[in-house]
Amino acid sequence: MLKIEPYWQWLFDVPVEQGTTYSIVNHNLFYQDRALVNEGAGRNYGIDFTLEHYLKSGLYGMFTATLFKSEYRDAQGEWHRSRHDRGYIVNILGGKEWMTGKGRKNVFGMNGRLTLMGGDRYTPMAPGTTYDDVAKRKDRTIPQDGANPFSQQLGMNVGYAFSVKYTINKKHTAHHFILEYLQMRTFQGQTFNLKTHEIVDKYTSLTFPNIAYRVEF
């Protein structure tokens, strides 16, 4: 099954800060300490591709791809790339199931997913930014609402996940034994190393191993 879907989205009354290029669409902290007005806007547009192989003989697969643009308008009426303007996201996933056990009632399955996406966007350090400027900020990061917000982009992000599952089917219940693993690394912005006073890239890595048991009645 092949599906192609273009899309366009318009955002209005977006909270922005007067006199800066800050917009709530780029906010990624746990707190908000700015005075905002609903004078901003945003637009997202692109095209989605989906190619799917339905489950047959225990095998399934799917390929999805998105090519897109994400932009926002600040309080001064200027348009900029948003934090989320990665450009593309590609997912490849699939799996295989085998019938096992007495009477071939049980199921052993393996599944995997690979995600490729455009690099994280960030605002280049403003000329003259010093360690003292950053140290005064609560999050110790370089401000991201400068004259050229999110105009720079890192290399491609790669994430992957896989799982192994065994299901024992009884007359009135099903017992599932699951082993899962997820790995993804995301960019959090530039900051100063408090020890070396050098500008460094800040990352967050998500590693999620999981062993689960589930029973269904």
Side-chain angles (χ1 to χ4, degrees):
M1 188 275 293
L2 174 64
K3 181 169 59 176
I4 301 175
E5 297 179 297
Y7 68 91
W8 182 84
Q9 181 185 46
W10 175 260
L11 311 176
F12 59 91
D13 291 340
V14 176
V16 293
E17 183 180 36
Q18 292 181 330
T20 73
T21 59
Y22 177 85
S23 172
I24 198 68
V25 300
N26 300 313
H27 187 73
N28 68 338
L29 302 176
F30 291 106
Y31 57 88
Q32 174 58 260
D33 58 358
R34 299 169 181 255
L36 306 179
V37 293
N38 294 94
E39 298 179 359
R43 58 192 180 197
N44 303 303
Y45 52 95
I47 185 168
D48 294 338
F49 301 89
T50 302
L51 180 63
E52 183 174 5
H53 177 275
Y54 295 116
L55 182 65
K56 182 179 181 181
S57 300
L59 181 67
Y60 76 94
M62 178 182 291
F63 169 86
T64 66
T66 301
L67 304 176
F68 65 94
K69 290 283 292 183
S70 177
E71 301 170 318
Y72 75 96
R73 190 180 68 200
D74 62 24
Q76 290 69 243
E78 298 292 330
W79 285 94
H80 310 278
R81 296 175 181 269
S82 80
R83 175 192 297 276
H84 312 289
D85 187 31
R86 295 178 178 271
Y88 66 91
I89 299 176
V90 176
N91 285 289
I92 304 172
L93 60 93
K96 172 68 175 176
E97 294 182 346
W98 295 268
M99 304 304 296
T100 65
K102 186 177 180 179
R104 301 180 64 82
K105 294 181 179 179
N106 302 332
V107 182
F108 175 76
M110 301 181 66
N111 308 275
R113 184 182 78 236
L114 175 66
T115 299
L116 310 174
M117 64 179 71
D120 298 271
R121 304 204 68 89
Y122 67 97
T123 302
M125 183 182 69
T129 301
T130 66
Y131 167 76
D132 291 335
D133 294 332
V134 176
K136 293 176 183 178
R137 293 173 58 83
K138 294 180 180 179
D139 57 359
R140 298 291 194 274
T141 60
I142 294 173
Q144 297 187 350
D145 52 2
N148 300 297
F150 305 102
S151 59
Q152 301 296 319
Q153 187 175 20
L154 297 180
M156 180 174 63
N157 272 7
V158 179
Y160 57 88
F162 69 87
S163 66
V164 178
K165 180 179 178 181
Y166 188 70
T167 300
I168 301 175
N169 292 306
K170 299 292 186 179
K171 185 175 181 179
H172 299 292
T173 60
H175 303 267
H176 304 278
F177 300 88
I178 306 168
L179 172 63
E180 300 174 308
Y181 183 83
L182 170 67
Q183 175 69 48
M184 177 64 77
R185 190 186 192 205
T186 58
F187 178 66
Q188 298 295 304
Q190 292 182 309
T191 187
F192 272 95
N193 185 302
L194 299 180
K195 294 182 179 180
T196 65
H197 290 197
E198 295 177 339
I199 298 174
V200 295
D201 295 335
K202 183 180 179 181
Y203 291 90
T204 296
S205 293
L206 174 63
T207 302
F208 184 69
N210 181 46
I211 299 176
Y213 165 74
R214 185 173 72 244
V215 59
E216 297 178 351
F217 298 94

